[in-house]
Amino acid sequence: MHKRIRICLIGNGTQSKRIQAVLKKKKIKFNIFCPKKKTIDKKNKNFLKGFNTFFIISPNSTHFKYLKLLRDRGYIFCEKPPVNKISDLKKLKRIKSNKIFYNFNFRFSKLAEILKNTDKYKLGNLRYINIISGHALGLKKDYASNWRSKKQLCPKGIYEMVSIHWIDLINFLFKIKSHFAPTFLNLSKSGSSIDNCNTRIMLKGKTYVDIFTSYTSPLIKRKLFVFQNGLIEQNNNFLQVNGPALNINKDNLVVEPKTILKYKINEKKDKSYSLTKSIEYFLSKVKNKSNFSSKEIRTSLNTTEILIKGLNK
């Protein structure tokens, strides 16, 4: 596989370095393209012609120009969101390529694996979802110089960087019926973009989803999925499945459902796991010269549209 594909990584920031680590571990060679100028000149275009597989890992606002330039050059792995402007989304929808993969890698997480198999645990219908994801990035001294804090580069900050992952996973697994205008806040005051966000979504059957993301909170990772006959819960330390709903003790009192499955969480390893699985999936398509399904492309673009509509409200 390594001889047949020529990989170029566009961007050399934090996420790029994570992807570089995965590729190095797999002993896959790659080049890094990180131009200083905003425009892509003739010299840069000629350099990019030497590759047939691209990882677009540059700031969100630059994704579309690379997608437009490289759409007919081979396979593209594009970081989420692919675009953050409605004008670019309209243009992106006109690109008819089945060789573009959008890295909504939560689809490959341990949590997603369990959510795909709820029938196995006899959990019944989904009733409610609550997700809280926060860490103190916005309180760090270098946050003001981070592109994520700048409105011109990342219009709605944490909403398009963190909330979008959860919106996509929910949309991919359960399909979003409607969504409400998010609540955007800038609490750090050291950046111009959004660092706190509340999002409410409705699924079919009037199942509600509440998502809170923050760059100014203590580290917290909590996800709760309430089903008719059980729970799936994840926090900083564990991921577990509990059921059935009716669990009665010797005094004939309803108590917490029994633990069916318990998995210890290592945040760093779990992030690496889902990213690695996502990259492996992408490279398997490249190796086999096969296409990405219309469903996964359509869902990615639909998630992006939900994001942008939220941005515009």
Side-chain angles (χ1 to χ4, degrees), residues 277-289:
K277 288 293 182 182
S278 185
I279 293 170
E280 286 176 348
Y281 175 70
F282 171 73
L283 292 176
S284 71
K285 295 290 186 180
V286 179
K287 179 182 178 181
N288 297 319
K289 298 180 180 179

Side-chain angles (χ1 to χ4, degrees), residues 5 50 52 76 101 141 168 196 218 267 269 301 308 311:
I5 63 174
N52 58 22
I76 298 174
F101 173 76
K141 290 182 180 179
D168 177 74
N196 280 262
E267 185 69 21
K269 285 185 178 179
L301 294 179
I308 294 173
L311 295 178

Side-chain angles (χ1 to χ4, degrees), residues 18 21-23 25-26 77 103 105 108 269-283:
R18 292 189 186 111
V22 174
L23 295 176
K25 191 173 182 179
K26 294 181 174 297
F77 177 107
N103 185 36
N105 59 284
F108 299 88
K269 285 185 178 179
D270 271 30
K271 279 185 177 180
S272 178
Y273 176 86
S274 62
L275 180 60
T276 298
K277 288 293 182 182
S278 185
I279 293 170
E280 286 176 348
Y281 175 70
F282 171 73
L283 292 176

Side-chain angles (χ1 to χ4, degrees), residues 247-258:
N247 186 27
I248 300 174
N249 67 9
K250 61 182 181 180
D251 299 317
N252 201 35
L253 298 174
V254 176
V255 294
E256 291 183 358
K258 296 177 181 179

Side-chain angles (χ1 to χ4, degrees), residues 121-264:
Y121 306 108
K122 300 178 181 178
L123 298 182
N125 295 328
L126 180 64
R127 297 302 190 204
Y128 175 70
I129 300 173
N130 182 266
I131 294 169
I132 303 173
S133 180
H135 57 84
L137 174 67
L139 303 180
K140 294 175 70 175
K141 290 182 180 179
D142 59 355
Y143 178 66
S145 61
N146 190 309
W147 66 268
R148 293 167 179 79
S149 74
K150 303 181 188 301
K151 192 171 184 178
Q152 66 271 28
L153 298 178
C154 196
K156 288 299 180 288
I158 196 166
Y159 182 66
E160 64 181 274
M161 296 304 300
V162 181
S163 304
I164 187 66
H165 268 304
W166 295 110
I167 292 169
D168 177 74
L169 180 62
I170 290 160
N171 194 32
F172 185 70
L173 294 175
F174 305 110
K175 197 172 182 180
I176 293 170
K177 183 178 179 181
S178 62
H179 60 99
F180 303 84
T183 301
F184 296 138
L185 296 171
N186 181 316
L187 299 180
S188 69
K189 305 302 181 184
S190 58
S192 57
S193 196
I194 301 302
D195 52 35
N196 280 262
C197 176
N198 283 285
T199 308
R200 169 158 272 209
I201 290 166
M202 188 173 74
L203 311 178
K204 64 180 182 179
K206 294 187 177 180
T207 297
Y208 285 91
V209 181
D210 289 308
I211 303 171
F212 171 70
T213 54
S214 174
Y215 280 156
T216 62
S217 76
L219 179 66
I220 179 170
K221 308 286 182 183
R222 289 188 180 173
K223 298 93 189 180
L224 176 64
F225 295 77
V226 180
F227 292 84
Q228 181 181 356
N229 196 41
L231 306 169
I232 295 176
E233 187 175 2
Q234 180 178 337
N235 68 13
N236 295 357
N237 302 311
F238 66 85
L239 167 60
Q240 69 180 47
V241 181
N242 292 71
L246 187 60
N247 186 27
I248 300 174
N249 67 9
K250 61 182 181 180
D251 299 317
N252 201 35
L253 298 174
V254 176
V255 294
E256 291 183 358
K258 296 177 181 179
T259 300
I260 301 171
L261 172 72
K262 192 166 186 176
Y263 171 79
K264 189 173 182 180

Side-chain angles (χ1 to χ4, degrees), residues 8 12 14 44 56-58 74 106 128 164 183-184 186 189 210 212 217 221 223 265 268 299 310 313:
C8 180
N12 196 30
T14 303
N44 289 333
I56 300 175
I57 331 168
S58 52
F106 280 21
Y128 175 70
I164 187 66
T183 301
F184 296 138
N186 181 316
K189 305 302 181 184
D210 289 308
F212 171 70
S217 76
K221 308 286 182 183
K223 298 93 189 180
I265 290 295
K268 187 175 180 180
T299 302
K313 288 185 179 182

